[in-house]
């Protein structure tokens, strides 16, 4: 058998100039970047279109405690 013929019948051609690790890194980096940009775009869209959140009503117990902290007597005492 000739050694050159075995080399030419190589099933997997070697890609010269392209590092497979670099390709994987670029693909993963691109996906992460697309994810972050998409999240930011959704966030900006939601800020414009959704109504602002309503604050939870403060309970009377908490209101009393806050007024006592500030030194103002709570109503009804």
């Amino acid at each position: 058998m000739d050694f050159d013929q075995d080399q030419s019948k190589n099933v997997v051609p070697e890609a010269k100039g392209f590092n497979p690790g670099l390709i994987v890194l670029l693909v993963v980096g691109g996906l992460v970047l697309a994810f972050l940009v998409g999240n930011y775009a959704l966030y900006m869209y939601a800020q414009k279109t959704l109504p602002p959140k309503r604050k939870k009503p403060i309970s009377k117990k908490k209101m009393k405690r806050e007024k006592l902290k500030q030194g103002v007597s709570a109503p009804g005492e």
Side-chain angles (χ1 to χ4, degrees):
M1 255 202 239
D2 195 10
F3 185 72
D4 287 336
Q5 281 183 343
D6 283 348
Q7 284 284 356
S8 65
K9 291 182 180 178
N10 196 359
V11 179
V12 180
E14 288 187 31
K16 292 178 182 175
F18 284 108
N19 185 357
L22 181 68
I23 293 170
V24 170
L25 189 70
L26 286 173
V27 168
V28 171
L31 288 173
V32 169
L33 192 68
F35 176 75
L36 291 174
V37 169
N39 265 355
Y40 182 71
L42 268 176
Y43 172 74
M44 293 306 289
Y45 174 74
Q47 289 296 313
K48 287 178 186 174
T49 57
L50 293 178
K53 280 187 176 179
R54 284 185 289 156
K55 291 183 181 177
K56 289 182 181 176
I58 299 175
S59 66
K60 289 181 182 178
K61 198 175 189 181
K62 278 188 180 178
M63 214 181 321
K64 267 188 188 177
R65 196 179 305 142
E66 284 295 316
K67 287 192 177 186
L68 283 173
K69 261 188 205 173
Q70 292 173 359
V72 179
S73 63
E77 285 186 2

